[in-house]
Amino acid sequence: MLENKDQSRTSLSELGEFQLIEHLTKSVKLHHKSTIKGVGDDCAVIENQNKQTLITTDLLVEGIHFDMSYMSLKHLGYKAVMVNLSDVYAMNAFAKQITVSIAVSNRFPLEALEELYAGIHLACKTYQIDLIGGDTTSSTKGLLISITAIGEADKKDVVYRNGAKANDLLVVSGDLGAAYLGLQVLEREKQVFQVNPGAEHELDNYTYLIERQLKPEARKDIVKLLQDLEVKPTSMIDISDGLSSEILHICKQSDVGCNLYEDKIPLDQQVISTCEEFNMDSTTVALSGGDDYELLFTISQEDFPKIKANPHLTVIGHITDKKEGCHLITRGHQKVEIIAQGWNAME
Ligand code: ADP
Ligand code: MG
């Protein structure tokens, strides 16, 4: 295979659509009893018995949601699954199945789709997800991936965005801002590379940031943890667009206000040092940067003792009456209004 370069790139036109689907899905193993029928018929069949079924879908378009110049197809496949699973976990439910639909131009050889599916299969294996179907078509230009995730939960466990009450605590998992900075580092490298393709890449100081951008992990562990701690959040959302816009979603839908404390926002050491190097404000990065896939939720004060010692969870503020508005309390004890892109420093 290595002697002849052409032989290592199999044109998609050499396979029919059915052969391609068969090739990409033949290694699929089903994990769940609820998956009655997976790939191979007109429909997949799921039996969720007494549970509620949760469904979410995302469409990713090359050049808009991802850039293949620094993202491998394997990472892309993995991340595309994570983005969807994260939405299911944000409802306090467990994801069980996905469907994957792709539109692909003939610029991509079979080997590229194998890479993409290697990422998808790895995500499914790690998170115990059944790949149960999809659709395959051609595109004139580039790659589109649409993934639908299906989850289940007992009715009593499902958490919406609209349940936050005054005096609830505002809690976040993990740490924030790293994925956005990872993207900045990769963009910078791409520019250096375009000017000087032989340039050495010195990325040791940014490994955590890059990993958070290229290989995010959806927080299934947090849903499990909350279950084990017997804590049911009053509201929850995943942080895909930055902390400030997600907080505003919860406040708007719950008809409440909030106070968020700047000094409580969890930041990794690499975020702090890279913000210094790039001359960026780490709070702005945490509030406005995207792609963190952490969970933001509210809990009633009574539940505080159950979570307080946990290293994965940080209380960053509390919910107030709506009339008090949504504010960031800065390190200097100033109270500034939170706006979707960071905060309104004019107040
Ligand atoms: P239909 O003609 O009903 O749309 P297809 O030939 O597109 O059926 O698909 C055949 C089977 O393969 C179905 O079970 C479908 O869900 C599955 N499938 C098609 N494309 C993909 C894909 N890209 N990834 C995973 N499963 C797929
Ligand atoms: Mg089809």
Side-chain angles (χ1 to χ4, degrees):
M1 216 145 111
L2 290 173
E3 309 86 275
N4 184 341
K5 211 164 168 251
D6 287 336
Q7 274 180 21
S8 68
R9 289 173 65 88
T10 313
S11 164
L12 290 180
S13 58
E14 285 176 33
L15 293 95
E17 182 192 334
F18 301 124
Q19 252 187 307
L20 174 63
I21 296 169
E22 151 76 12
H23 188 81
L24 294 176
T25 60
K26 64 179 177 232
S27 68
V28 166
K29 289 190 185 60
L30 300 177
H31 303 91
H32 299 292
K33 277 205 305 265
S34 56
T35 308
I36 307 292
K37 178 77 196 178
V39 170
D41 211 313
D42 296 314
C43 282
V45 180
I46 297 171
E47 190 169 304
N48 268 348
Q49 287 160 351
N50 312 330
K51 306 248 179 181
Q52 290 195 326
T53 302
L54 298 99
I55 302 183
T56 178
T57 192
D58 270 292
L59 177 61
L60 300 176
V61 179
E62 183 180 353
I64 296 184
H65 303 100
F66 57 92
D67 181 336
M68 307 255 297
S69 53
Y70 49 68
M71 189 162 209
S72 74
L73 279 155
K74 186 170 178 185
H75 280 134
L76 177 63
Y78 193 88
K79 184 167 176 174
V81 177
M82 287 308 123
V83 171
N84 279 277
L85 300 190
S86 180
D87 282 323
V88 177
Y89 302 138
M91 302 295 290
N92 203 33
F94 287 102
K96 295 288 161 89
Q97 293 95 3
I98 57 168
T99 64
V100 176
S101 298
I102 53 175
V104 57
S105 77
N106 55 18
R107 157 162 85 79
F108 292 83
L110 174 65
E111 288 72 16
L113 293 186
E114 284 174 348
E115 276 285 292
L116 179 75
Y117 270 74
I120 292 171
H121 292 316
L122 177 63
C124 287
K125 186 168 170 227
T126 310
Y127 285 76
Q128 297 268 294
I129 303 296
D130 294 345
L131 173 60
I132 56 164
D135 200 21
T136 308
T137 185
S138 51
S139 90
T140 49
K141 198 165 134 247
L143 175 67
L144 282 87
I145 310 171
S146 173
I147 297 190
T148 297
I150 299 155
E152 61 172 56
D154 283 343
K155 184 177 178 188
K156 65 173 179 24
D157 292 332
V158 178
V159 173
Y160 297 88
R161 294 178 179 183
N162 66 5
K165 299 272 181 304
N167 300 318
D168 283 355
L169 300 174
L170 198 53
V171 186
V172 70
S173 66
D175 53 71
L176 301 177
Y180 172 80
L181 286 177
L183 183 63
Q184 302 311 304
V185 170
L186 291 167
E187 294 270 6
R188 187 177 72 169
E189 285 305 302
K190 181 179 159 186
Q191 279 165 14
V192 171
F193 190 75
Q194 278 166 352
V195 176
N196 178 6
E200 282 286 318
H201 290 237
E202 191 38 85
L203 297 173
D204 285 358
N205 294 336
Y206 313 113
T207 47
Y208 179 65
L209 310 180
I210 292 169
E211 177 151 350
R212 293 281 287 177
Q213 171 58 226
L214 295 182
K215 192 168 179 286
E217 303 291 348
R219 300 306 306 256
K220 179 185 181 183
D221 59 325
I222 299 294
V223 179
K224 176 79 173 50
L225 175 71
L226 291 171
Q227 215 173 47
D228 293 346
L229 295 172
E230 296 181 7
V231 174
K232 183 187 173 189
T234 52
S235 69
M236 185 149 65
I237 191 167
D238 75 324
I239 307 183
S240 47
D241 292 336
L243 180 61
S244 59
S245 81
E246 315 300 1
I247 283 187
L248 292 178
H249 282 307
I250 284 193
C251 288
K252 181 152 189 267
Q253 296 207 27
S254 299
D255 222 19
V256 293
C258 71
N259 285 332
L260 163 69
Y261 292 85
E262 182 179 23
D263 61 349
K264 304 286 187 219
I265 298 173
L267 303 172
D268 185 82
Q269 194 50 46
Q270 273 188 13
V271 168
I272 296 167
S273 59
T274 307
C275 279
E276 275 168 20
E277 184 194 335
F278 287 17
N279 210 4
M280 290 169 123
D281 178 60
S282 57
T283 304
T284 310
V285 166
L287 286 174
S288 306
D291 270 355
D292 284 321
Y293 303 106
E294 293 297 338
L295 295 174
L296 172 71
F297 55 93
T298 53
I299 59 170
S300 89
Q301 297 238 3
E302 281 160 36
D303 283 334
F304 176 64
K306 299 184 196 162
I307 67 139
K308 92 174 169 206
N310 199 288
H312 301 289
L313 302 176
T314 311
V315 176
I316 56 172
H318 58 87
I319 298 296
T320 63
D321 278 338
K322 185 185 184 183
K323 62 178 189 308
E324 293 184 45
C326 298
H327 291 96
L328 175 78
I329 315 298
T330 68
R331 288 194 186 88
H333 309 293
Q334 274 181 302
K335 199 171 176 182
V336 289
E337 190 187 353
I338 298 172
I339 57 166
Q341 290 302 314
W343 72 88
N344 189 350
M346 301 305 288
E347 196 186 74

